[in-house]
Amino acid sequence: MVELRQVSKYFGKSLAVADVDFHVEPGEFLTLLGPSGCGKTTLLRMIGGFETPSAGQILLDGRDVTHLPPYRRDVNQVFQSYALFPHLSVWGNIEFGLKTKGLTRVERHRRVREAIELVSLDRLELRRPAQLSGGQKQRVALARALVCRPRVLLLDEPLAALDAKLRRAMQVELKRLQARVGITFLFVTHDQEEPLVISDRIALMSHGRIEQLAPAA
């Protein structure tokens, strides 16, 4: 589903990602694990189309998307900050991406209702982000990303802002959601426990390189 071929990224003279070469299978939950500054978020941003590689190729489902903008890739992203629209309700936030795709009102309503039920946000549809807890905001961000039915979902440390108890609960929830919707998940974290709970495979990164890529065991 995702394939990187000798991908490198320079910022000026600084090498952020060095000759990264790996693939992610359809429906797989793969985690990029490493300390701050190791290149994992830069790698995620290149897959999402927010950064362009200095060298190498990125393929999504066999299609070269190296130089395509984000809106021309069948990919969605959940950010650490949630990036919710404060003036829109839960329903409005989730529906926003469907409106940009030009779906009919009936189809938008059906998909938003399914997404709300999927992430257990029933009876919260009219609330604004300021009226939600951290865990509820995270669920809205997930629903907004999933409702467009991307082939790949990118998650950039989405649980970092949650307290320890809620983070553990959301780890289980993420794995349940991924198994249910069957979308390929590419997850970024510096937390060493998280990947062992939720990942099919883990890519251990250091200084812009993948040092090891293997199942959690």
Side-chain angles (χ1 to χ4, degrees):
M1 182 56 67
V2 181
E3 185 178 359
L4 277 72
R5 297 177 178 173
Q6 300 297 304
V7 170
S8 295
K9 178 65 178 178
Y10 283 88
F11 292 102
K13 294 183 178 180
S14 177
L15 181 60
V17 174
D19 295 323
V20 167
D21 196 74
F22 74 96
H23 70 277
V24 188
E25 297 291 344
E28 185 176 20
F29 197 129
L30 187 138
T31 296
L32 298 173
L33 171 64
S36 296
C38 73
K40 57 189 187 298
T41 295
T42 300
L43 203 55
L44 202 73
R45 288 177 60 81
M46 287 192 288
I47 294 169
F50 299 105
E51 298 284 355
T52 302
S54 303
Q57 278 185 302
I58 297 174
L59 288 83
L60 295 177
D61 201 15
R63 176 181 173 221
D64 189 345
V65 298
T66 309
H67 299 287
L68 292 183
Y71 65 87
R72 292 187 61 193
R73 305 182 187 208
D74 201 359
V75 169
N76 228 326
Q77 184 159 353
V78 177
F79 299 92
Q80 184 176 341
S81 62
Y82 311 137
L84 301 178
F85 297 115
H87 63 289
L88 295 181
S89 65
V90 168
W91 185 283
N93 266 281
I94 297 171
E95 186 183 31
F96 184 82
L98 299 178
K99 283 186 174 180
T100 64
K101 288 180 177 291
L103 272 66
T104 65
R105 184 178 179 183
V106 172
E107 179 65 9
R108 294 200 311 266
H109 188 280
R110 184 181 68 80
R111 285 217 205 170
V112 173
R113 174 54 56 197
E114 286 178 355
I116 284 174
E117 292 175 0
L118 184 68
V119 298
S120 304
L121 282 170
D122 308 81
R123 297 186 296 279
L124 298 176
E125 298 98 324
L126 301 181
R127 290 193 186 182
R128 302 284 177 89
Q131 299 170 306
L132 301 175
S133 68
Q136 289 166 343
K137 290 177 184 177
Q138 183 62 74
R139 289 170 188 269
V140 176
L142 280 168
R144 185 179 62 180
L146 291 169
V147 76
C148 292
R149 299 176 181 172
R151 305 294 298 278
V152 181
L153 186 62
L154 310 175
L155 302 109
D156 188 6
E157 306 217 32
L159 310 182
L162 306 179
D163 63 58
K165 183 178 180 180
L166 186 54
R167 187 184 303 174
R168 285 193 293 271
M170 284 303 298
Q171 288 170 4
V172 176
E173 190 70 11
L174 267 180
K175 189 62 180 175
R176 182 190 69 82
L177 278 173
Q178 196 262 346
R180 184 171 172 183
V181 300
I183 293 173
T184 303
F185 275 30
L186 195 53
F187 186 89
V188 162
T189 185
H190 64 269
D191 186 298
Q192 296 183 34
E193 293 182 14
E194 259 174 17
L196 299 174
V197 176
I198 59 179
S199 310
D200 296 317
R201 288 191 300 159
I202 300 169
L204 186 62
M205 291 195 68
S206 178
H207 301 292
R209 291 179 167 82
I210 293 180
E211 300 290 349
Q212 186 182 6
L213 177 55

